[in-house]
Amino acid sequence: MRPVLNVHRSILGQPWRWRGLAADPCDASFAPDDLVTQLLLARGCPREALEAHRSPSIRGFMPDPSIFRDMDKAADRLADAVLAGEQVAIFGDYDVDGATSAALLVLLLRQLGIEPRPYIPDRMTEGYGPSGTALLRLKEEGASLIVTVDCGAQAFEALDVAREAAVDVVVVDHHKCAAALPHAHALVNPNRMDEQEGAEHGHLAAVGVAFLLGAALLRTLRSRGFFTSRPEPKLIELLDLVALGTVADVAQLRGLNRAFVAQGLKVMAQRRNLGLAALIEASRLTRAPTCSDLGFALGPRINAGGRVGRSDLGVRLLTTQDRDEARAIAEELDRLNEERRAIEAIVQAEAEERCETQKERGVAVVAGRGWHAGVIGIVAGRLKEKLGRPVLVIAVDENGIGKGSGRSISGVDLGAAVLSAKDSGLLHAGGGHAMAAGITVAEENIPALADYLHESLADAVERARGERALLFDAILAPGGVSPTLVEALEVGGPYGVGWPAPRVAAGPVRVIRADTVGNGHVRLTVAGDDGRSLKAVAFRQADTPLGMALLGAPPHRRLWLAGRAKIDDWGSRPAAELHIEDAAWVD
């Protein structure tokens, strides 16, 4: 295939390719709807499903919850608890997916007449997932049913303890499972190895699975006549939580997830949830949140509670009915997020230095004593983007026990490799999914783990990197990067993992002005052959080959810029700008 603009090797060393059919807005036949259709087709949408994907709805994508193993059993047990007024505990993970999953079930059960007890373990003292000690404590506090969300699929020992204590546990999870499953009253997980039709929805975040359980619960209660004398909750009103958890957990935005996010953003714009409304205000968003806001503004603030603060702050924020409490928690999470950024910068600098010794490794595994375990996932993600290969970052405590978090690249299943390493005896604990994983490992086993992951994944990494190319949807003159174009592109969204945002090539341009701002961002003003100028920014690129090329571009040399067209709404009226991801010199 001929490369886009004949770019075989860009400044960042990538070939440029078409993602699929592409339109050129400079062509007289161009119309925004034509481009949107091509955007959908290029992302794998069947032609006969164009309209459904253009406006993804819950009705159009929602499966029958009963296709999932144990779903009806879980719904029946929850319905029994509602009818009997039992004490129910919701045990959630400490990240955004766990917080939103727990909050969704708390709010739904509250509307059904019971007040569940949310429980989020402390990341530093309790670690990931349910422990036997925590489950027994919840029973002692009166819980006869415990629902774990975003965790529990590998909690063999803890669930055995609960079983011996005669407390029912329903597991709602989405992480990869081993062939053997822990003993639970019900285990709902589209990534069970024995899942059949439900496996099609293995890309769901835990909050999406929790939403489906909510739908199954309401259906069961309806069949038992529960709503003959009381109103039925509107589950659709909780889609703002589903959208936030789905995007923040970096779940693939295809199929049902696209509908969850598209409709959830509409619910979020109404600001019905007091906690989310306060968090939007604390994030200094004056407009309705977008998909990127969920991942870069709201999600990190909720995560900050579990990373460097109190793990239960996220659930408390999302379930509070007190406006003043919501505002206070949101402000605390905003402060903790700033603290998290400072800690993260220190760990990232040290981790980057240690990655220098692993340039030949398929998977970079770095560890450090004293690193804050609450930021290692973020650091792993940043290093993965910089290195273009999977990265595992491990924080080792004073007892020689390492807590690790890994991030992978498309085409490399890190979660499966971690489960295999656990089965091989290298890990105390471990699990995850294709793009992310978490581990607990003895410090002395880290070198052997690094060797194991390299040997297991090096070939897959090499193939994935060899197939790497920057994919494009359109070529534009600088004047084509306009608010009208951005609005047209957004119709093909929501965008995220598995449904990538449109990338355009703009140019050719000459750099008129370039400087460094903020945390290593390169800010540009460029002019094109069409006589139009364009503002652009390359985030965190000042010390990279791309940033140095842009800052040092001579006025006589022309460039093609690659990136995402975005709205800059800081001025008196909205304008368009380009967020640069790569560039290539014009021969």
Side-chain angles (χ1 to χ4, degrees):
M1 180 185 297
R2 184 178 178 182
V4 173
L5 299 168
N6 207 32
V7 176
H8 293 273
R9 186 176 178 82
S10 67
I11 288 174
L12 290 180
Q14 305 173 98
W16 290 5
R17 309 286 188 202
W18 289 119
R19 178 172 279 116
L21 296 174
D24 183 352
C26 299
D27 191 293
S29 64
F30 169 77
D33 282 349
D34 294 335
L35 178 56
V36 171
T37 297
Q38 292 175 28
L39 291 173
L40 297 175
L41 291 173
R43 282 152 183 78
C45 175
R47 188 170 291 276
E48 64 272 15
L50 283 172
E51 289 309 309
H53 282 77
R54 191 182 295 271
S55 300
S57 66
I58 302 300
R59 182 184 297 273
F61 288 92
M62 181 90 164
D64 180 347
S66 295
I67 68 172
F68 297 91
R69 287 189 176 275
D70 280 5
M71 179 67 83
D72 291 339
K73 191 175 182 182
D76 282 337
R77 182 64 185 88
L78 269 171
D80 290 343
V82 170
L83 292 168
E86 293 181 55
Q87 176 63 56
V88 178
I90 311 295
F91 189 109
D93 188 22
Y94 38 64
D95 68 359
V96 183
D97 193 17
T100 51
S101 301
L104 184 149
L105 292 180
V106 167
L107 292 174
L108 179 60
L109 291 172
R110 186 181 286 167
Q111 292 180 67
L112 294 172
I114 62 176
E115 187 63 40
R117 154 86 155 92
Y119 185 94
I120 308 295
D122 183 89
R123 179 189 293 262
M124 306 303 294
T125 61
E126 296 181 81
Y128 170 79
S131 66
T133 300
L135 298 184
L136 286 179
R137 184 186 310 135
L138 290 172
K139 183 194 176 182
E140 291 167 359
E141 293 175 357
S144 54
L145 172 62
I146 300 172
V147 183
T148 72
V149 288
D150 198 29
C151 58
Q154 294 293 295
F156 292 91
E157 295 180 5
L159 295 190
D160 281 344
V161 170
R163 187 185 190 195
E164 291 171 4
V167 59
D168 289 339
V169 179
V170 169
V171 175
V172 179
D173 205 350
H174 70 130
H175 294 99
K176 284 187 175 292
C177 295
L181 296 174
H183 295 293
H185 182 84
L187 196 157
V188 185
N189 184 340
N191 287 306
R192 286 175 56 152
M193 291 185 69
D194 60 348
E195 189 59 81
Q196 297 177 354
E197 190 177 351
E200 177 185 345
H201 301 280
H203 60 290
L204 293 178
V207 70
V209 183
F211 181 88
L212 293 173
L213 174 58
L217 170 61
L218 294 181
R219 183 176 61 186
T220 300
L221 289 171
R222 195 182 308 124
S223 70
R224 298 190 189 185
F226 185 72
F227 299 117
T228 55
S229 59
R230 62 186 299 156
E232 183 172 333
K234 295 179 179 179
L235 190 62
I236 207 84
E237 294 180 355
L238 299 177
L239 280 174
D240 48 3
L241 298 175
V242 183
L244 177 56
T246 298
V247 173
D249 209 53
V250 202
Q252 291 196 19
L253 294 193
R254 57 183 176 86
L256 180 57
N257 278 347
R258 292 194 68 240
F260 279 154
V261 175
Q263 300 306 318
L265 285 170
K266 295 178 183 178
V267 175
M268 193 176 295
Q270 300 170 17
R271 303 198 180 192
R272 292 178 178 174
N273 185 295
L274 294 180
L276 273 178
L279 193 66
I280 292 168
E281 183 179 344
S283 302
R284 293 165 283 283
L285 293 174
T286 57
R287 47 168 172 72
T290 64
C291 192
S292 61
D293 293 326
L294 305 188
F296 294 103
L298 305 183
R301 285 171 168 80
I302 290 183
N303 259 336
R307 294 186 188 281
V308 297
R310 285 171 39 204
S311 297
D312 66 343
L313 285 177
V315 171
R316 286 180 52 204
L317 174 75
L318 298 174
T319 58
T320 184
Q321 297 173 299
D322 185 302
R323 197 175 302 275
D324 291 335
E325 182 185 31
R327 187 177 297 110
I329 296 175
E331 290 174 354
E332 174 67 2
L333 288 172
D334 188 55
R335 184 191 67 77
L336 290 170
N337 193 48
E338 291 301 317
E339 181 180 331
R340 184 269 305 168
R341 287 177 177 173
I343 296 170
E344 174 196 325
I346 295 171
V347 175
Q348 182 171 340
E350 295 181 9
E352 279 189 22
E353 183 177 343
R354 297 181 192 190
C355 280
E356 289 296 315
T357 64
Q358 302 200 33
K359 290 182 177 179
E360 305 305 317
R361 289 274 180 165
V363 180
V365 179
V366 293
R369 280 191 171 245
W371 288 355
H372 197 298
V375 302
I376 54 177
I378 302 174
V379 172
R382 295 208 187 281
L383 291 179
K384 180 262 294 188
E385 291 297 327
K386 187 169 185 176
L387 300 176
R389 54 199 167 106
V391 175
L392 179 64
V393 179
I394 304 171
V396 181
D397 66 19
E398 64 276 7
N399 298 315
I401 299 299
K403 299 288 187 180
S405 186
R407 298 293 182 269
S408 192
I409 60 176
S410 295
V412 180
D413 192 337
L414 183 61
V418 162
L419 278 180
S420 179
K422 179 186 174 187
D423 291 341
S424 299
L426 289 171
L427 304 176
H428 291 321
H433 45 83
M435 299 297 288
I439 66 164
T440 302
V441 60
E443 185 175 23
E444 60 269 21
N445 285 344
I446 293 175
L449 173 64
D451 290 341
Y452 186 91
L453 293 177
H454 171 69
E455 292 166 6
S456 301
L457 297 176
D459 289 344
V461 172
E462 185 176 356
R463 285 194 301 271
R465 298 186 75 186
E467 296 167 358
R468 184 186 66 175
L470 207 61
L471 302 181
F472 288 80
D473 296 282
I475 300 173
L476 309 171
V481 183
S482 65
T484 300
L485 177 86
V486 175
E487 290 171 6
L489 294 174
E490 286 302 313
V491 175
Y495 299 107
V497 175
W499 198 268
R503 182 179 292 112
V504 302
V509 299
R510 291 181 175 85
V511 176
I512 304 302
R513 188 183 71 179
D515 58 1
T516 302
V517 297
N519 186 25
H521 311 316
V522 178
R523 180 177 58 184
L524 300 173
T525 300
V526 299
D529 293 348
D530 62 350
R532 304 289 293 275
S533 63
L534 173 67
K535 291 184 178 179
V537 59
F539 292 102
R540 294 186 296 274
Q541 294 289 336
D543 61 348
T544 69
L546 174 61
M548 289 185 282
L550 296 173
L551 290 167
H556 64 278
R557 290 204 69 181
R558 298 189 302 164
L559 288 153
W560 287 102
L561 301 179
R564 320 280 189 177
K566 298 289 185 178
I567 294 293
D568 175 13
D569 51 12
W570 285 100
S572 57
R573 62 178 183 176
E577 65 181 15
L578 189 70
H579 292 181
I580 302 172
E581 298 171 303
D582 200 357
W585 299 108
V586 177
D587 294 333

